[in-house]
Amino acid sequence: MTEPAVGLDAIEIWTGKCKLDLANTFAPARDEDPEKYTKGLGLRASSFPDTYEDIVTMGANAAKRLMDREGLTPADIGRIDVATESAFDNSKPVSTYVAGCLEQVYEGDFRHANKGERKFACVSGTQSIDDAYNWIRAGRNRGRAALVIATDTALYARGDPGEATQGAGAVAMLVDVDPSIVTLSTEQGIGSMDETDFLKPNQQFPSVDGKRSVQVYLSRMREALEDYESVAGRVGVEDFVFAPFHTPFPGMVRKAAVLAYRHVTRGTEIEDALEPEIGRQPREDDFDGRESFETNMRDYVDALSGTERYRTWYGETVEPTLGIAREVGNWYTGSVHIARVSALLAALENDRNIGGETLLVGSYGSGAQAEIHAETVREGWREGVAAADPFDRLAERHSLSFAEYEHIHDAHNHEVETEIEAFTEPNGEFIHAGWGRMNERKYEYVE
Ligand code: CAA
């Protein structure tokens, strides 16, 4: 019996409704060169939630938009999983709040839908898709689809080097059989180790060893790629049309991409073709010690990144995945999922026919684990992706002055009491409306 094709049938994106311009507002206040942000990190702006937004409102608003567009009711959904690393409760999952919001506006309820919350830093959005995939493949879904929501308010302590990479938003995804956008490969690769690079030990803002986190990302990603190749066969640069990767900031993906390219071209005709220009890839056996091997490898990778061949590949396969991230910053659990949408939107804009083509998707969570799998683009991808286009809404965000940014950061800091006015008007969306008797959050739908 052939297994049913399972994957993403619909996607919706909700951005926090404010933005911080990094080059024009953040850099001058920090007395830094704007190009550190635009060129070094590769970011133009970060999204921030307005005062009445949080991970629940952003997730529920993305989900409502998805359900309205797909004409779904609660009876069509058998599972709601929320992936987040910004949860405010160690017991009651965010998915119950999201379900409660949606039940305010739809006939019926989610009483028989399985709800949960996934945690493994940024990789948990992909893990939730895995859970949904496995649930459907196991035949436990009773014909219903799964709603996966990746939602985060990615804030760092003021003055932390990570402050430039903040962001806030949610991605809602419908996982179903015979999906319209992509199917997922059964094969997947994992690179996982106990690491202390980025963590939140019962605290809102992360403790980060930024430089180390970059190295851990690269190492776990390489292991995940090798593990993926051990089950799916050797990967070649021509095998996939786009490579959406977890994007804490685009500069991170730039570093990962050249290492991945070096790995997959080793011993191939591409290495041969590049030899006259940059030599062959260093092999460890040819060196006396690890240190001289690593120095030579760094030089090779530097030279590789400057070749026309590599730059063309990067421009076609990786650069299109970064379009949304540049405008919104890090959305943690949602980050790789906006990278996928960015790539598909770029294909749409260039009128490319990518039905049947492959995406190589790389997810990553600090602490740390990377996951790599392939996705096949379905013939119906265009319509679903066009509907998820967030760029008009990104353009409508309220642009924060630096003083307003400080207020909004305080408004979302659990340790600070603030009374500030919202910068935008809610319109046809869920809002955080206050607190209940057991300190639970209360939500309302505003017409
Ligand atoms: N013009 C052009 N480029 C400039 C520049 C200028 N004027 N000034 C600096 N740069 C470049 C730097 O050379 C550097 O690029 P390279 O790494 O390619 O050399 C880049 O801009 C950043 O500069 P710094 O390294 O000096 O920046 P920093 O030390 O202030 O902070 C960071 C960088 C450590 C990544 C910090 O942003 C951070 O801690 N971020 C949070 C952690 C993070 O995102 N880690 C990523 C991997 S972990 C992960 O992926 C999980 C997750 O989502 C958090």
Side-chain angles (χ1 to χ4, degrees):
M1 196 180 80
T2 8
E3 297 284 355
V6 177
L8 302 184
D9 193 45
I11 305 178
E12 271 295 347
I13 293 174
W14 185 276
T15 174
K17 292 171 79 177
C18 298
K19 78 162 186 184
L20 178 65
D21 185 312
L22 292 171
N24 297 310
T25 309
F26 188 71
R30 283 271 171 273
D31 203 19
E32 294 265 21
D33 180 352
E35 296 205 336
K36 171 174 176 180
Y37 304 107
T38 51
K39 294 214 165 120
L41 296 174
L43 289 165
R44 280 195 276 268
S46 320
S47 279
F48 285 88
D50 207 334
T51 52
Y52 54 84
E53 294 186 287
D54 69 7
I55 51 171
V56 173
T57 65
M58 294 188 296
N61 286 321
K64 177 170 186 298
R65 192 178 275 150
L66 184 150
M67 288 179 66
D68 286 349
R69 175 156 58 78
E70 296 294 309
L72 300 173
T73 68
D76 300 312
I77 310 253
R79 188 175 174 107
I80 305 178
D81 287 301
V82 170
T84 185
E85 49 189 299
S86 323
F88 45 77
D89 193 311
N90 288 324
S91 177
K92 182 175 158 60
V94 170
S95 51
T96 59
Y97 283 103
V98 169
C101 287
L102 296 172
E103 284 170 352
Q104 291 181 33
V105 295
Y106 291 111
E107 290 281 320
D109 58 47
F110 294 98
R111 194 168 294 229
H112 301 295
N114 192 3
K115 305 180 191 91
E117 188 172 300
R118 255 289 190 173
K119 179 175 71 182
F120 195 147
C122 312
V123 76
S124 62
T126 298
Q127 290 180 317
S128 298
I129 292 176
D130 264 6
D131 293 341
Y133 176 95
N134 295 336
W135 171 74
I136 293 173
R137 275 288 185 90
R140 303 177 99 175
N141 60 320
R142 296 186 246 154
R144 297 171 300 170
L147 184 57
V148 169
I149 299 167
T151 180
D152 270 299
T153 300
L155 296 184
Y156 290 75
R158 304 285 314 284
D160 187 288
E163 198 180 0
T165 66
Q166 298 176 116
V171 184
M173 293 165 280
L174 194 71
V175 182
D176 206 352
V177 289
D178 194 19
S180 300
I181 301 180
V182 289
T183 54
L184 275 63
S185 65
T186 315
E187 296 82 11
Q188 67 178 169
I190 302 286
S192 188
M193 260 184 87
D194 176 11
E195 296 277 7
T196 311
D197 52 339
F198 171 111
L199 54 157
K200 297 182 178 181
N202 286 328
Q203 63 197 43
Q204 184 187 5
F205 301 135
S207 299
V208 194
D209 183 342
K211 302 286 181 214
R212 180 157 166 68
S213 74
V214 168
Q215 293 314 316
V216 175
Y217 176 115
L218 297 174
S219 302
R220 302 293 83 78
M221 211 54 112
R222 178 176 47 76
E223 290 162 4
L225 180 57
E226 287 167 354
D227 193 43
Y228 175 72
E229 288 184 306
S230 76
V231 283
R234 197 146 179 217
V235 171
V237 282
E238 309 295 335
D239 295 349
F240 48 94
V241 62
F242 294 118
F245 270 49
H246 171 60
T247 312
F249 52 92
M252 182 72 246
V253 174
R254 196 169 56 217
K255 286 183 204 293
V258 66
L259 296 182
Y261 189 89
R262 184 209 60 75
H263 174 87
V264 301
T265 55
R266 191 179 177 86
T268 67
E269 285 172 5
I270 297 180
E271 186 187 1
D272 297 345
L274 289 170
E275 186 177 358
E277 196 181 345
I278 57 170
R280 294 195 74 73
Q281 295 194 15
R283 265 69 174 172
E284 194 163 3
D285 289 351
D286 299 338
F287 292 86
D288 288 339
R290 180 89 195 159
E291 205 172 306
S292 63
F293 164 66
E294 283 177 358
T295 308
N296 275 273
M297 186 55 98
R298 265 196 299 277
D299 292 346
Y300 180 86
V301 167
D302 270 356
L304 176 63
S305 66
T307 62
E308 191 58 36
R309 186 157 191 157
Y310 173 75
R311 292 162 82 92
T312 302
W313 173 83
Y314 182 86
E316 288 171 356
T317 315
V318 181
E319 183 64 32
T321 69
L322 306 175
I324 303 174
R326 282 192 201 294
E327 304 298 335
V328 304
N330 192 355
W331 282 12
Y332 287 165
T333 55
S335 165
V336 64
H337 307 294
I338 54 180
R340 181 197 292 105
V341 172
S342 293
L344 296 176
L345 281 172
L348 194 65
E349 197 178 332
N350 294 318
D351 201 19
R352 289 182 66 184
N353 180 11
I354 57 164
E357 301 268 13
T358 303
L359 311 179
L360 189 74
V361 182
S363 306
Y364 175 74
S366 296
Q369 180 161 306
E371 190 267 4
I372 290 194
H373 68 267
E375 297 180 358
T376 306
V377 181
R378 301 282 279 182
E379 292 303 334
W381 65 280
R382 281 195 177 79
E383 201 182 313
V385 167
D389 186 343
F391 282 104
D392 286 349
R393 277 169 282 125
L394 292 177
E396 286 165 10
R397 289 172 295 177
H398 169 78
S399 191
L400 297 162
S401 67
F402 194 76
E404 288 173 340
Y405 157 67
E406 293 184 300
H407 288 315
I408 211 86
H409 196 284
D410 282 350
H412 292 285
N413 182 340
H414 300 167
E415 306 290 318
V416 177
E417 291 276 331
T418 48
E419 285 292 332
I420 64 160
E421 293 288 313
F423 297 106
T424 61
E425 277 283 316
N427 179 12
E429 66 197 90
F430 297 104
I431 61 163
H432 176 209
W435 307 86
R437 72 185 172 91
M438 291 172 74
N439 208 23
E440 75 277 21
R441 293 187 181 210
K442 294 286 194 188
Y443 296 94
E444 278 171 13
Y445 187 75
V446 174
E447 293 294 343

